[in-house]
């Protein structure tokens, strides 16, 4: 064990990517050594050929700083890395190092993570639910709202484990989580997971039962929001939305590979997730509705999480200056209201009607397919809804 550890440490300093293999291999070895069970020694390979780095979700500081753009992810996703061996159930594995010493199985460890014993003290646990997307969908609002629930604790910053810090290992991942008391659910949100190639498989290997929450917003609104963010954060200094979305106005052909538009093909990204998780483990939230009716969406989310429905209309108050609902700080004794930061609710760029029409036409079949996949219609292509959405600005 000592040699393996020394070797790993030396390797870590040389090549960052190799650390991922090394630390996880070390971890897998320790699991097997502590368990002595042929079934448990069965490790599965996780192909991370397209493991992206540095791409990010939004303008929120993640665990390691400001987020990048999905464009970075695509660039990096072509990078060849290696085949990373993960234990049969990775998340269990971290805990099973300890659990193994107690002569218990990996499945005991994961079920500990899900159902804590009433006697256990507050501790950091792996999430049982992740808000996996989408960037600019309303993910911060959702996380902040659900954090009002007494049975929920959330990782405040975006963690970016599955798209950026995977090589830091599972202990690191758990360390990013807040302390949770018995009966509390831990939730993290990293919107870039939704478009990260490796994320579905990596998460499923860690916990096949993970609850996956996706806030999807009208892809045209989302793209405009994304673009507005790039300008506001200084990541983009050139180019107009119109010209980037539809490079040749004569043809009206949409550049679907431009990252703000690529993200909006939700059905295409969802295809990848469905190879690893069944549909009942997903909860889709209409981001446009979350803006207008947060309580309605929060009730559905609490039902999905199987927790008492506590957050309702009483928790929200519309703030005219902000133009959004804000949260009442219930039980504090003070009439305190907390709104999201100034980076949420930005002015969107103006788009010509012809580009808007091309975008609508482009996304319509994708939206339709998404609705049929999730069994719910979000009505983004209903003209009345679109007008309302535009009038908001
Ligand atoms: P805009 O800035 O385009 O309006 P994310 O948190 O995923 O980055 O999403 C940001 C979007 O959340 C904002 O996009 C905003 O429309 C939306 N949102 C939803 N509910 C909100 C709320 N109560 N307060 C502020 N923004 C909210």
């Amino acid at each position: 064990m000592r040699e393996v550890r020394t070797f790993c440490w030396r390797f870590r300093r040389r090549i960052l990517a190799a650390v991922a293999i090394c630390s996880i291999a070390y971890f897998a070895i320790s699991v097997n050594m502590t368990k002595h069970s042929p079934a448990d020694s069965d490790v599965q390979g996780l192909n991370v050929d397209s493991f992206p780095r540095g791409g990010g979700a939004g303008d929120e500081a993640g665990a390691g700083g400001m987020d990048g753009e999905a464009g970075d992810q695509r660039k990096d996703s072509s990078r060849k890395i290696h085949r990373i061996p993960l234990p049969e159930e990775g998340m269990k594995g971290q805990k099973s190092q300890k659990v193994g010493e107690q002569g218990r199985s990996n499945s005991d460890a994961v079920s500990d993570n899900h159902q804590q014993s009433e006697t256990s003290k507050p501790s950091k646990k792996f999430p049982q639910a992740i808000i996996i997307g989408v960037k600019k969908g309303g993910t911060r609002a959702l996380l902040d709202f659900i954090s009002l629930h007494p049975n929920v604790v959330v990782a405040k910053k975006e963690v970016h484990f599955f798209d950026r810090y995977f090589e830091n290992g599972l202990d690191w991942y758990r360390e990013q989580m807040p302390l949770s008391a018995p009966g509390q659910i831990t939730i993290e949100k990293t919107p870039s997971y939704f478009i990260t190639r490796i994320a579905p498989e990596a998460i499923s290997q860690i916990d096949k039962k993970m609850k996956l929450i996706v806030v999807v917003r009208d892809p045209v609104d989302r793209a405009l929001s994304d673009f507005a963010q790039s300008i506001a954060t200084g990541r983009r200094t050139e180019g107009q939305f119109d010209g980037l979305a539809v490079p040749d106005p004569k043809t009206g052909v949409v550049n679907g590979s431009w990252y703000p538009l690529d993200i909006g093909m939700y059905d295409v990204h969802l295809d990848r997730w469905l190879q690893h998780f069944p549909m009942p483990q997903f909860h889709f939230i209409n981001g446009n509705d979350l803006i207008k009716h947060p309580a309605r969406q929060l009730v559905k989310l609490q039902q999905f999480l199987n927790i008492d429905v506590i957050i309702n209309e009483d928790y929200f108050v519309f703030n005219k200056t902000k133009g959004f609902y804000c949260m009442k700080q219930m039980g504090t004794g003070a009439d305190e209201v907390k709104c999201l930061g100034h980076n949420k609710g930005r002015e969107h760029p103006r788009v010509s009607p012809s580009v808007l029409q091309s975008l609508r036409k482009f996304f319509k079949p994708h939206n339709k397919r998404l609705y049929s996949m999730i069994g719910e219609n979000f009505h983004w292509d209903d003209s009345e809804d679109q007008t309302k959405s535009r009038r908001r600005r």
Side-chain angles (χ1 to χ4, degrees):
M1 286 295 285
R2 184 185 288 272
E3 285 80 24
V4 173
R5 200 183 308 217
T6 317
F7 173 75
C8 285
W9 179 244
R10 242 190 273 139
F11 215 53
R12 185 182 200 118
R13 291 186 153 267
R14 286 191 195 149
I15 310 165
L16 200 60
V19 174
I21 307 162
C22 204
S23 54
I24 292 171
Y26 163 65
F27 157 69
I29 290 163
S30 349
V31 170
N32 288 333
M33 283 183 75
T34 52
K35 297 190 65 57
H36 307 294
S37 151
D40 290 326
S41 68
D42 197 70
V43 290
Q44 294 177 355
L46 175 58
N47 194 342
V48 290
D49 279 2
S50 54
F51 180 54
R53 309 292 163 92
D59 51 348
E60 297 171 354
M66 295 289 279
D67 296 324
E69 289 188 347
D72 301 339
Q73 292 192 350
R74 255 203 319 279
K75 192 169 59 194
D76 287 338
S77 70
S78 60
R79 203 149 61 93
K80 192 109 181 142
I81 305 186
H82 303 280
R83 211 171 154 75
I84 291 183
L86 273 182
E88 194 179 19
E89 284 160 308
M91 183 179 292
K92 303 164 188 178
Q94 281 290 306
K95 211 164 180 197
S96 72
Q97 287 178 325
K98 237 201 240 160
V99 168
E101 287 157 18
Q102 297 158 1
R104 300 176 65 212
S105 72
N106 269 343
S107 27
D108 290 337
V110 102
S111 77
D112 276 1
N113 197 53
H114 284 277
Q115 313 152 12
Q116 303 161 33
S117 96
E118 287 308 311
T119 53
S120 64
K121 288 188 190 139
S123 59
K124 294 188 174 191
K125 304 204 174 49
F126 293 108
Q128 293 96 47
I130 306 179
I131 300 173
I132 56 170
V134 299
K135 181 188 181 189
K136 306 318 294 172
T139 55
R140 173 53 59 185
L142 190 75
L143 188 80
D144 284 6
F145 294 163
I146 195 63
S147 74
L148 298 173
H149 198 289
N151 293 115
V152 171
V153 291
V154 304
K156 292 221 161 42
K157 289 180 176 176
E158 291 179 5
V159 179
H160 287 278
F161 179 63
F162 297 101
D163 69 327
R164 204 184 286 176
Y165 301 115
F166 198 58
E167 68 266 23
N168 286 1
L170 288 164
D171 273 339
W172 179 90
Y173 186 42
R174 189 168 49 193
E175 199 47 45
Q176 308 314 306
M177 300 303 150
L179 288 171
S180 58
Q184 286 186 312
I185 295 175
T186 303
I187 301 181
E188 76 123 321
K189 82 123 177 157
T190 304
S192 45
Y193 291 163
F194 190 64
I195 54 153
T196 299
R197 291 205 158 272
I198 195 65
E201 188 179 357
I203 296 175
S204 78
Q205 291 212 7
I206 279 171
D207 188 351
K208 285 183 168 52
K209 296 267 160 60
M210 187 72 80
K211 292 190 175 191
L212 303 164
I213 301 156
V214 199
V215 193
V216 280
R217 183 178 177 190
D218 176 339
V220 180
D221 288 348
R222 202 219 65 81
L224 290 168
S225 176
D226 207 340
F227 188 80
Q229 176 171 291
S230 307
I231 302 285
T233 55
R235 282 199 298 264
R236 174 168 288 286
T237 50
E238 296 173 357
Q240 294 292 313
F241 184 92
D242 287 33
L244 292 158
V246 180
D248 182 357
K250 281 190 213 122
T251 62
V253 174
V254 167
N255 179 12
S257 60
W258 185 39
Y259 81 91
L261 305 182
D262 177 277
I263 297 173
M265 292 185 263
Y266 305 133
D267 60 321
V268 175
H269 299 292
L270 182 58
D271 277 335
R272 272 200 332 273
W273 285 88
L274 289 174
Q275 286 170 21
H276 301 280
F277 291 97
M279 193 52 96
Q281 267 170 254
F282 292 86
H283 180 65
F284 284 85
I285 291 172
N286 180 352
N288 297 63
D289 197 59
L290 179 69
I291 294 172
K292 291 183 260 176
H293 305 287
R296 177 157 82 188
Q297 291 302 333
L298 264 289
V299 167
K300 287 191 202 167
L301 179 61
Q302 290 165 91
Q303 287 164 344
F304 172 72
L305 292 172
N306 212 11
I307 52 178
D308 290 344
V309 177
I310 291 173
I311 304 166
N312 55 25
E313 271 92 7
D314 299 344
Y315 279 70
F316 299 99
V317 60
F318 189 76
N319 182 305
K320 279 192 191 151
T321 319
K322 175 91 182 152
F324 286 95
Y325 279 91
C326 300
M327 298 164 275
K328 279 193 207 161
Q329 304 296 293
M330 305 289 273
T332 57
D335 280 349
E336 227 180 278
V337 170
K338 195 177 154 228
C339 297
L340 264 64
H342 66 277
N343 58 348
K344 306 293 173 186
R346 288 191 182 104
E347 195 71 29
H348 289 184
R350 295 206 176 280
V351 186
S352 72
S354 63
V355 168
L356 214 48
Q357 200 182 5
S358 299
L359 289 174
R360 292 264 158 234
K361 203 169 152 198
F362 175 80
F363 281 119
K364 198 170 178 171
H366 289 289
N367 294 342
K368 209 171 157 197
R369 185 163 169 256
L370 175 78
Y371 302 155
S372 78
M373 288 164 96
I374 66 174
E376 196 174 352
N377 190 336
F378 291 155
H379 302 285
W380 294 326
D381 296 300
D382 298 0
S383 52
E384 204 204 331
D385 213 53
Q386 282 176 39
T387 321
K388 270 191 214 150
S389 156
R390 309 266 130 232
R391 251 193 241 131
R392 204 172 60 75
R393 312 232 151 246

